[in-house]
Amino acid sequence: MVELSPSRLHGSLSAPVLGSIGFLNEVMGRFPEAISFAPGAPHPETLPDPQMQHYTDRFLEHLGAKGFAPERARRMLFEYGPSRGIINDVVSEALWRDHRIGCAAEELVITVGAQEAMLLVLRALFASADDVLAVTNPCFVGITGAARLLDLDVVPVHETAQGIDLDGLARACRTARRDGRAIRALYVAPDFSNPGGGRMSLDCRHRLLELADQEDFLVLEDNAYGFTAGAGTELPALKALDTQRRVIHIGTFAKVAFPGARVGYVVADQQVLSEGGGTRPLAAELATLKTMVTVNTSPLPQAVIAGMLLEHGGSLVELSRHKAALYQRNLSTLTDALDRHLGGGAALPGIRWNRPEGGFFVRVHLPVRADARLLEVSAAKYGVLWTPMDQFYLDGAGDTQIRLSCSYLDPGRIEEGVRRLTAFLTKEIRA
Amino acid sequence: MVELSPSRLHGSLSAPVLGSIGFLNEVMGRFPEAISFAPGAPHPETLPDPQMQHYTDRFLEHLGAKGFAPERARRMLFEYGPSRGIINDVVSEALWRDHRIGCAAEELVITVGAQEAMLLVLRALFASADDVLAVTNPCFVGITGAARLLDLDVVPVHETAQGIDLDGLARACRTARRDGRAIRALYVAPDFSNPGGGRMSLDCRHRLLELADQEDFLVLEDNAYGFTAGAGTELPALKALDTQRRVIHIGTFAKVAFPGARVGYVVADQQVLSEGGGTRPLAAELATLKTMVTVNTSPLPQAVIAGMLLEHGGSLVELSRHKAALYQRNLSTLTDALDRHLGGGAALPGIRWNRPEGGFFVRVHLPVRADARLLEVSAAKYGVLWTPMDQFYLDGAGDTQIRLSCSYLDPGRIEEGVRRLTAFLTKEIRA
């Protein structure tokens, strides 16, 4: 009987981050009654009705208005389709309407969530073992996972209150150059990163783009949580500020619509020189790579997403307005509760937390190691779960931090969860 | 403005195979009136009705019968789900019912088509630069594309009338070993390969599994076209003969249901040793890798596919019965027409073709190079398109062969296409 040794399997399978997520799921399974601040899942109230036919019909209507015969439109739902997607026009118009990100449909690829977009972009850009990926630290595990799968070298750059440590990034570029290597791209989520929760200031955005130009790297902008900014407080996406085509913009409908769609997108308008002397957009190269990964994104959820957008005037902002308000409410419920229960400070020295202006996550710093053992105690004795932050750090830091997610809980549960967390911290933590 | 040099992009983007497919699409676009034997697309008659709600409802009913509360079942359609899939029980039962492939739901991963399954399996198994992938030659471009994306070395093994050149495969194993390397896995489509059209004999299947045991490689079995075998003529899948867990079985619903679902699956019951001394199935490792590629397969098309299966008694054979008959009819229409129009032989020396017993494809050998120039003549002057076969070969062979696909045409068009092809061959080809 075939038995496979882990040493003969690819290294990405032994990455600690995945062990942690597995452990977290396992703990959640054992304590189903615990209030969990762990998963960044959507609030159930934001999920659509299972009777979704009208969304598909709405997209078919759109195709009809564009001149597709009904039979041709019908086939588009069921046949293999173009790798770059079938709803690019709808998404491209929404990006312009809502974010002033201008891109032609050909400069856009519809992907199986943001995750596939990250994998495709990394695969396209990283051609040499001398190419290095810079990421903000702490960092979303999706990008570091994709980098591991492709055996890419990753260098962490500190996330700051302003966004990113630009001096540190410039140093990383110089260090790489000195070693005969190059920072090929930087991954950053400027609007409420997961897990950091930070938002990059406008000044930092401009300076990052200048540095990218000076040092000749590309910027991979992940915009999953931008929609949660309070109305009127939005900052322009890096891509909207990008006059040099330095930015590759990655988005997802997981949060503004629903995760099960598995529909994301990538704007890649960089020009690739072709042998004949012409150019074609990087998006076309990504679509080619996509034929080797998933061939194309299922047209069924693509149609549902386009239908949902069209029913909201073709606007991402309109589509997500209710959700944005709900997540803003949950976030202030969480930070208010932390203030109220833990705010005394004196009682719990060494405990502090950030106050993100959007997103799903709050970070709490503890005076002790936040490890599996501590989580076990928190779950078993106090009925409250959270995510240890060390898995989001590339440099071993963050081992005294925990991440609290407030996205899928109701205010009452958030309040009760913070009460339990306070009991746990008060009784178990000694600075 | 950023301009990217192709030399700084990943090598898989310059692979000739993709150039060829792009060229083929371009030619098809320029000659829309031509009869095209090029795409392996499904017949339009086999596509479902766009009113698909009842399939989803059927799956929700199934979840209800399994004890899921309606609200919980509803959420499964819209939330992130387990990476390994949500319809594994339905697929696993169908594989046993129809093919006597026994696997637990945990030994199965639902993927974004067979393509993602191939990528995941290759990524998991190929840990060292000394690992080599063997593939039948000619070979499906999906597996060689995935191998290129991962920078894997591939060695071709001749496809024969019996299936595969086992002596050649044994030699390849010895050669690899001599060079300090190892054939880690062999990719093969034993039932009507694309593009070869061959079917592996029962004897060859048994001997292949023996060789895999002797030489310690895994067999990746692609079963996309198995359902097209004439009723009663089916041979057991390699996986059904596999007593040693040597075979990883990859399937897709693209052909038995519809391509736009982008739902495939992989049976991976190999046991991976874990540090604690226990084991877990390779499928669990593939599911972990999937979190870095697409996170999970969209539950919407998963639900539709499961609903379609359940409406057909949970049987792949029942689901595909009508399609199998249609494709059998198309294939005999094509080979009969070739016999009738080209069968004289004397008139066209050097032209011969195979007679597959199933699948979508017939191979025609010409006495001249079947290249882009010849295809251009065929399209422009005779209104008939086909696929040059050289792109399916890894060793430069096959440059005098063309592939004819009969899947999506009606019999009248096949007949007329062969008439045009005959005119083209008669007038343009000199042996």
Side-chain angles (χ1 to χ4, degrees):
Chain A
M1 209 69 94
V2 174
E3 286 192 335
L4 300 171
S5 156
S7 68
R8 297 252 4 234
L9 297 182
H10 189 256
S12 57
L13 286 165
S14 54
V17 46
L18 297 153
S20 303
I21 289 176
F23 170 73
L24 209 54
N25 287 336
E26 187 266 324
V27 175
M28 284 174 64
R30 276 191 292 126
F31 301 100
E33 299 306 313
I35 293 178
S36 179
F37 288 114
H43 193 281
E45 195 186 294
T46 67
L47 298 177
D49 191 273
Q51 304 299 314
M52 312 196 75
Q53 188 69 49
H54 64 289
Y55 294 124
T56 308
D57 292 345
R58 181 70 190 77
F59 178 63
L60 289 174
E61 204 180 281
H62 168 76
L63 290 178
K66 286 181 68 181
F68 286 89
E71 173 57 17
R72 179 79 200 89
R74 179 179 87 91
R75 286 201 202 169
M76 284 174 70
L77 291 184
F78 300 117
E79 290 185 346
Y80 291 107
S83 268
R84 73 160 195 254
I86 60 169
I87 64 170
N88 306 47
D89 59 330
V90 181
V91 177
S92 143
E93 279 173 35
L95 287 171
W96 177 248
R97 184 190 317 259
D98 294 315
H99 299 303
R100 287 293 178 258
I101 292 174
C103 65
E106 299 75 40
E107 293 166 340
L108 198 59
V109 181
I110 308 298
T111 52
V112 181
Q115 187 61 38
E116 193 194 21
M118 292 180 201
L119 184 72
L120 296 176
V121 169
L122 293 185
R123 178 65 308 171
L125 294 181
F126 286 73
S128 153
D130 292 331
D131 290 329
V132 179
L133 173 68
V135 302
T136 44
N137 194 39
C139 189
F140 174 52
V141 294
I143 190 78
T144 46
R148 269 196 206 95
L149 189 137
L150 297 174
D151 297 320
L152 308 184
D153 283 338
V154 177
V155 57
V157 179
H158 190 52
E159 183 174 310
T160 67
Q162 294 304 305
I164 188 167
D165 175 3
L166 289 167
D167 293 337
L169 180 55
R171 267 199 310 279
C173 292
R174 284 195 299 273
T175 304
R177 202 160 42 238
R178 195 196 57 205
D179 299 343
R181 312 187 69 186
I183 302 289
R184 178 69 160 146
L186 164 77
Y187 167 88
V188 64
D191 292 282
F192 320 119
S193 58
N194 171 13
R199 168 142 69 159
M200 190 179 285
S201 70
L202 186 59
D203 179 57
C204 187
R205 289 174 201 235
H206 283 294
R207 288 174 56 213
L208 174 59
L209 294 177
E210 279 165 30
L211 185 63
D213 243 13
Q214 278 164 33
E215 296 286 353
D216 193 22
F217 60 80
L218 292 155
V219 178
L220 315 188
E221 175 178 43
D222 179 350
N223 189 37
Y225 299 97
F227 76 99
T228 62
T233 73
E234 301 89 348
L235 290 177
L238 287 167
K239 188 67 195 163
L241 301 171
D242 174 28
T243 55
Q244 301 301 311
R245 298 189 168 165
R246 280 276 156 212
V247 180
I248 296 170
H249 183 87
I250 294 174
T252 174
F253 287 96
K255 273 74 181 177
V256 296
F258 61 98
R262 307 306 306 123
V263 175
Y265 54 89
V266 49
V267 179
D269 58 359
Q270 289 70 26
Q271 297 302 300
V272 178
L273 302 167
S274 72
E275 285 181 16
T279 61
R280 58 184 213 150
L282 178 61
E285 307 287 342
L286 299 179
T288 297
L289 284 174
K290 187 168 161 60
T291 65
M292 307 173 200
V293 178
T294 59
V295 184
N296 58 317
T297 303
S298 173
L300 298 183
Q302 283 194 74
V304 168
I305 289 296
M308 291 178 90
L309 263 177
L310 291 165
E311 283 204 359
H312 290 84
S315 160
L316 290 155
V317 169
E318 290 307 321
L319 174 60
S320 62
R321 187 177 295 283
H322 168 70
K323 298 178 188 79
L326 186 152
Y327 293 128
Q328 273 283 336
R329 177 203 69 187
N330 276 13
L331 192 61
S332 13
T333 305
L334 176 57
T335 50
D336 289 355
L338 288 170
D339 284 348
R340 229 170 323 107
H341 292 281
L342 284 167
L348 294 163
I351 295 183
R352 60 194 167 83
W353 55 94
N354 63 343
R355 262 165 241 283
E357 294 162 329
F360 288 5
F361 310 104
V362 170
R363 265 197 285 179
V364 183
H365 292 253
L366 307 183
V368 297
R369 266 184 73 85
D371 55 12
R373 193 202 55 80
L374 199 66
L375 179 59
E376 183 80 29
V377 172
S378 180
K381 287 177 66 177
Y382 301 91
V384 63
L385 285 163
W386 33 264
T387 305
M389 279 283 291
D390 56 350
Q391 63 186 298
F392 300 111
Y393 281 85
L394 279 95
D395 55 0
D399 59 350
T400 61
Q401 298 174 34
I402 66 176
R403 187 192 76 175
L404 304 180
S405 168
C406 61
S407 55
Y408 84 109
L409 297 170
D410 283 319
R413 294 288 281 174
I414 294 174
E415 188 72 36
E416 170 60 20
V418 171
R419 205 172 288 131
R420 295 182 187 186
L421 189 71
T422 303
F424 159 67
L425 293 173
T426 311
K427 295 193 186 139
E428 304 288 338
I429 307 294
R430 295 284 173 277
Chain B
M1 209 69 94
V2 174
E3 287 192 335
L4 300 171
S5 156
S7 68
R8 297 244 14 228
L9 298 181
H10 189 257
S12 56
L13 287 165
S14 54
V17 46
L18 297 153
S20 302
I21 288 176
F23 169 73
L24 208 54
N25 287 337
E26 186 265 324
V27 175
M28 283 174 63
R30 277 193 290 125
F31 300 101
E33 300 305 313
I35 293 178
S36 179
F37 288 115
H43 193 282
E45 195 187 294
T46 67
L47 298 177
D49 191 273
Q51 304 299 315
M52 314 195 75
Q53 188 68 49
H54 63 290
Y55 294 125
T56 307
D57 292 344
R58 182 69 190 77
F59 178 63
L60 289 174
E61 204 181 282
H62 168 76
L63 289 178
K66 286 181 70 182
F68 287 89
E71 173 58 17
R72 179 79 201 89
R74 179 179 87 90
R75 285 201 204 170
M76 284 175 71
L77 291 184
F78 300 118
E79 290 185 348
Y80 291 106
S83 269
R84 72 160 196 255
I86 59 170
I87 63 170
N88 306 47
D89 60 329
V90 182
V91 176
S92 142
E93 280 173 34
L95 287 171
W96 176 248
R97 184 189 315 260
D98 295 315
H99 299 303
R100 285 295 178 259
I101 292 174
C103 64
E106 299 75 40
E107 293 167 340
L108 197 59
V109 181
I110 308 298
T111 53
V112 182
Q115 186 62 38
E116 193 194 20
M118 291 179 201
L119 184 73
L120 296 175
V121 170
L122 293 185
R123 177 66 309 171
L125 294 182
F126 286 74
S128 152
D130 292 331
D131 290 329
V132 180
L133 173 68
V135 302
T136 44
N137 195 39
C139 189
F140 174 52
V141 294
I143 189 78
T144 46
R148 268 197 206 94
L149 189 137
L150 297 173
D151 296 320
L152 309 184
D153 283 336
V154 177
V155 57
V157 180
H158 190 53
E159 183 174 310
T160 67
Q162 294 303 304
I164 188 168
D165 175 4
L166 291 167
D167 294 337
L169 180 55
R171 267 198 311 277
C173 292
R174 285 195 300 272
T175 304
R177 202 160 45 238
R178 196 195 57 206
D179 299 343
R181 311 187 70 186
I183 302 290
R184 178 67 159 147
L186 164 76
Y187 167 88
V188 63
D191 292 282
F192 320 118
S193 60
N194 171 12
R199 168 144 69 159
M200 191 180 285
S201 70
L202 185 59
D203 179 59
C204 187
R205 288 174 202 234
H206 283 294
R207 288 174 55 211
L208 173 60
L209 293 177
E210 280 165 29
L211 185 64
D213 243 14
Q214 278 165 33
E215 297 285 352
D216 193 23
F217 60 81
L218 292 156
V219 178
L220 316 187
E221 174 179 45
D222 180 349
N223 189 36
Y225 299 98
F227 75 101
T228 61
T233 73
E234 300 89 349
L235 290 176
L238 286 167
K239 188 65 196 163
L241 301 172
D242 174 29
T243 56
Q244 301 301 311
R245 297 189 170 165
R246 279 273 156 214
V247 180
I248 296 169
H249 182 87
I250 294 173
T252 174
F253 287 96
K255 273 75 181 177
V256 296
F258 60 98
R262 308 305 307 125
V263 175
Y265 54 89
V266 48
V267 179
D269 58 359
Q270 289 70 26
Q271 297 303 301
V272 178
L273 302 167
S274 73
E275 284 180 18
T279 61
R280 57 183 212 150
L282 178 60
E285 307 288 340
L286 299 180
T288 297
L289 284 175
K290 187 169 161 59
T291 65
M292 308 173 199
V293 178
T294 58
V295 184
N296 58 317
T297 303
S298 174
L300 299 183
Q302 284 194 73
V304 168
I305 289 296
M308 291 178 91
L309 262 177
L310 292 165
E311 283 204 359
H312 289 86
S315 160
L316 291 155
V317 169
E318 290 307 321
L319 175 59
S320 61
R321 188 178 294 284
H322 168 70
K323 298 178 189 78
L326 185 151
Y327 292 128
Q328 274 283 335
R329 178 203 69 187
N330 277 13
L331 192 60
S332 20
T333 304
L334 176 57
T335 50
D336 289 355
L338 288 170
D339 284 347
R340 228 171 322 108
H341 291 281
L342 285 167
L348 293 163
I351 296 183
R352 61 195 167 82
W353 55 94
N354 63 344
R355 261 164 242 284
E357 294 163 328
F360 288 5
F361 310 104
V362 171
R363 263 197 285 179
V364 183
H365 292 254
L366 307 183
V368 297
R369 266 185 73 86
D371 56 12
R373 191 202 55 80
L374 199 67
L375 178 60
E376 183 82 28
V377 172
S378 180
K381 287 177 66 178
Y382 301 91
V384 62
L385 285 163
W386 34 264
T387 306
M389 280 281 292
D390 56 350
Q391 63 185 298
F392 301 111
Y393 281 84
L394 279 95
D395 55 0
D399 60 349
T400 60
Q401 298 175 32
I402 66 176
R403 186 192 77 175
L404 304 180
S405 167
C406 61
S407 55
Y408 84 110
L409 297 170
D410 283 319
R413 295 288 282 173
I414 294 174
E415 188 72 36
E416 171 60 20
V418 172
R419 206 171 288 131
R420 295 182 188 186
L421 188 71
T422 304
F424 160 65
L425 294 173
T426 312
K427 293 191 188 143
E428 303 288 339
I429 307 295
R430 295 285 171 274

